[in-house]
Amino acid sequence: MMSTKAFTLVPAVEREQLMGDRERVSLECVECCGRNLYLGTSDCFVYHFLLEEKTLPTGTATFTATRQLHRHLGFKKAVNELRAASALSRLLVLCDGCISLVHMLSLEPVPSGARIKGAAAFALNENPVSGDPFCVEVCIISVKRRTIQVFLVYEDRVQIVREVSTPEQPLAVAVDGHFLCLALSTQYIILNYSTGASQDLFPYCSEEKRPIVKRIGRQEFLLAGPGGLGMFATVAGISQRAPVHWSENVIGAAVCFPYVIALDDEFITVHSMLDQQQKQTLPFKEGHILQDFEGRVIVATNKGVYILVPRPLEEQVQGLLASHRVEEALVLAKGARRNIPKEKFQVMYRRVLQQAGFIQFAQLQFLEAKELFRSGQLDVRELISLYPFLLPTSSSFTRSHPPLHEYADLNQLTQGDQEKVTRCKRFLMSYLNEVRSTEMANGYKEDVDTALLKLYAEADHDSLLDLLVTENFCLLTDSAAWLEKHKKYFALGLLYHYNKQDAAAVQLWVNIVNGDVQDATRSDLYEYVVDFLTYSLDPDLVWTYADWVLQKSQEVGVQVFTKRPLDDQQGSFNPDDIITCLKKYPRALVKYLEHLVMDRRLQREEYHTHLAMLYLDEVLQQKPGANATGAAVTETRAKLRHLLQKSDSYRVHFLLDRIRGAGLPMESAILHGKLEQHEDALRILVHELADFPAAEDYCLWRSEGRDPPYRQRLFHLLLALYLGPGPSSTELTVAAVDLLNRHAAEFDAAQVLQLLPGSWSVQLLCPFLTGAVRDSIHARRTTQVAVGLAKSENLIYKYDKMKLKGSSVRLSDKKLCQLCQTPFSEPAFVRFPNGGLVHTHCAASRHTNPRSPSPGART
């Protein structure tokens, strides 16, 4: 059990005020209604006091009771019970088995003398069912055996409305609506007096202990159960709260939320309804009355009256927090919801959650702290302010007052333990990263992101770069100084870039690459700078650093021009300007011209010629052999050949003059081909290079997209070179045979047979002859089919013409042309198959203008 000072016991009415020196008189019952305090004594007197509460400067409450009236009821027995009906200004007094009605202020009996006789005990229905505001419902335990009666009590009369029998003699009763909670001789029950239905609760022995039945809220009761338990029960006969464990000999019980208060012979004990733990014990001997009246708890002995003054819940919660009893404080604070206005409760409860979060944080219970901070909607700057230098110097934040914790900073909290400091910083990194994109950071995102940047930089955390390349609110001045302090120059460049200071960012990165400052964040920083400049929208920045990137690497540096988006290349990056810039960097110039010619497919002659010349210069520097072929062909020479073949935009004569005598026969052949000098080109390939496959490829290349006669002429020209006059060789003969057999369709067989030497056998040319015959037969048959189709179509037209001639046509000056809708002025006309007649000039215009309306499919 952990103690909590929930109540203070304060005297209200002293013995001398009540009975003076009458020793044998004792206090029997108490009633309190607002400031009105009523006491019933053993000598049949009722006393009326006015209570006045004052609070001393120390915060202690005191009560002063001023006696107003006292009146003897006219009986010789003690006053058993008092109940105030403030709506009627009446006081119900039970004495000698009779309930009398007296005025609350004058204590005079009602003139009508209305009373209820035969009552052993009674209870008011605080949840009445009658709905009449001018009466109260009273439930009595009748002196009749095993009987409960229900009355309506008015200002000057009473009316019985129900009488209910019980299984055993009732000893105590509480009522809520139609439900009675009864303590019988051996058990507690719930009885619905409207329907008669009953529900047994649990047994007890009335001979061993005094029963307690107390209504504590709507449809809920508190009972003294077996084994020293305070049991809760609803009208449905179930318990929605765990029981509290109090004394075996409890005399009375009361509820002052969230506490259950019990009275026994020696003590007043206080238990929490929220966690069922005993919170406070107050010594109090000779007590025999404990009741609560609208939140005011009164205890009394035979001689005096005392009030249990509750300590404000907020003070109790703060006391628990000060003792680091977080769970108890949270339970108590949450339980105060029903007693505090909603808005005030929310403010109070959020603060309690925040305070509890800092207590858990100080104990390094980070998961618990995080949940408390989030639930309490903590201003995250409260947490950041614990860490020295993390808040920006421009931040206007001041800590909450009164403070949420007792720590000046993280060093005090951890007492200088660096391991704890590191753990706390890791927690803050994680927490800030979670809340920075939530509503908890609204209004001070700059403080959050700047603090997070500082933590990442100090810890050399990978997330630093992620923070800077995404949307962030890091303050430039503070963040830049911090990054420079921790030598995070690459990250500093990202910060400059995010703040639209690209020139400062690039200069910083250039310094890193040059070795002027040290930062190993990126080993590929040079390539990163090139890529950054490539997509930069600032042309001045690109031109400023173009020489630097090209000096580092021509092949990579030129990418600032070649990989730039096409839209950017149309504006500030004119190709001619770039070429001028690249004249000092030949390799870069080649790459850029390749980009213009191959990628962008620009057809400007100077670009193609310039690129071809650069290729040619490099090839000539390599000094290849005149017969370099196959694997011996360098990459540059292959590029030159490809360009010469595919491009039609360079100056052919100019290049041919440069190549002449340079020992580049293949390139010369390509250039001759571009000039339609096919015989010269093929002669080089056949006689100079003896590259027969290249000669065949030449014929295919130059005839691509041309008509069949053009291609046939090229192949015949090549065959003529193979079979031409002069000393023949076996290689030429084999090349001629292979040419014919592989490309039979490209030759006119009749012409070829006239050229072939008579010594060649049919078997040697079998593939060629077979293909030639097959093609000839196919051509003849195709022609026969076409002729037959033409004859059939002609026959159809002749038939249609005969049908049209066999019928007469009537034409008059009233007949209208179907196309122009004007009458005929001469007998010349055109008749369509559907019978429509049109002018001859209209029919002619219809053929020349397809959009004109058509009266028929054909004429």
Side-chain angles (χ1 to χ4, degrees), residues 13 18-19 26-32 37-49 73 77-83 91-95 122 210 288-291 293 298-305:
V13 180
L18 181 60
M19 55 200 68
S26 63
L27 179 63
E28 295 295 325
C29 56
V30 178
E31 170 68 329
C32 185
L37 176 67
Y38 300 94
L39 307 178
T41 62
S42 59
D43 58 352
C44 204
F45 272 91
V46 175
Y47 292 82
H48 177 205
F49 291 85
L73 297 180
K77 294 188 178 182
V79 178
N80 300 117
E81 289 188 54
L82 296 171
R83 290 291 182 270
L91 186 67
L92 281 68
V93 184
L94 173 61
C95 181
F122 75 97
R210 177 180 174 179
H288 74 108
I289 297 174
L290 171 62
Q291 286 183 272
F293 304 96
I298 295 179
V299 292
T301 64
N302 289 330
K303 306 299 182 184
V305 178

Side-chain angles (χ1 to χ4, degrees), residues 617-631:
D617 290 342
E618 186 174 348
V619 169
L620 293 177
Q621 288 176 8
Q622 296 170 356
K623 296 182 179 179
N627 58 350
T629 58

Side-chain angles (χ1 to χ4, degrees), residues 464-593:
L464 173 63
L465 304 184
D466 296 331
L467 174 67
L468 290 170
V469 298
T470 55
E471 183 183 15
N472 67 81
F473 297 87
C474 299
L475 293 176
L476 178 61
T477 305
D478 276 65
S479 301
W482 193 271
L483 292 173
E484 192 166 355
K485 172 185 174 182
H486 291 278
K487 302 186 184 305
K488 298 296 180 183
Y489 299 109
F490 175 72
L492 178 55
L494 293 177
L495 178 67
Y496 284 141
H497 168 56
Y498 189 81
N499 286 274
K500 304 187 185 308
Q501 297 185 17
D502 287 355
V506 174
Q507 184 58 56
L508 191 56
W509 293 332
V510 167
N511 291 342
I512 298 173
V513 176
N514 290 342
D516 299 334
V517 292
Q518 302 300 316
D519 185 346
T521 302
R522 290 195 68 134
S523 59
D524 61 341
L525 183 55
Y526 167 71
E527 289 78 6
Y528 180 87
V529 174
V530 171
D531 191 61
F532 182 86
L533 292 173
T534 300
Y535 293 97
S536 173
L537 300 178
D538 183 355
D540 293 336
L541 182 67
V542 177
W543 285 113
T544 299
Y545 290 95
D547 281 323
W548 180 81
V549 296
L550 289 165
Q551 289 167 6
K552 287 291 180 183
S553 171
Q554 294 187 34
E555 290 81 356
V556 177
V558 75
Q559 293 176 7
V560 299
F561 301 120
T562 60
K563 289 190 175 181
R564 179 166 297 280
L566 189 59
D567 293 342
D568 293 348
Q569 297 186 36
Q570 307 294 337
S572 302
F573 297 94
N574 184 278
D576 294 336
D577 296 335
I578 296 173
I579 290 172
T580 301
C581 172
L582 296 178
K583 285 182 178 179
K584 297 179 291 185
Y585 311 101
R587 295 194 302 278
L589 180 57
V590 170
K591 292 286 185 183
Y592 183 68
L593 288 171

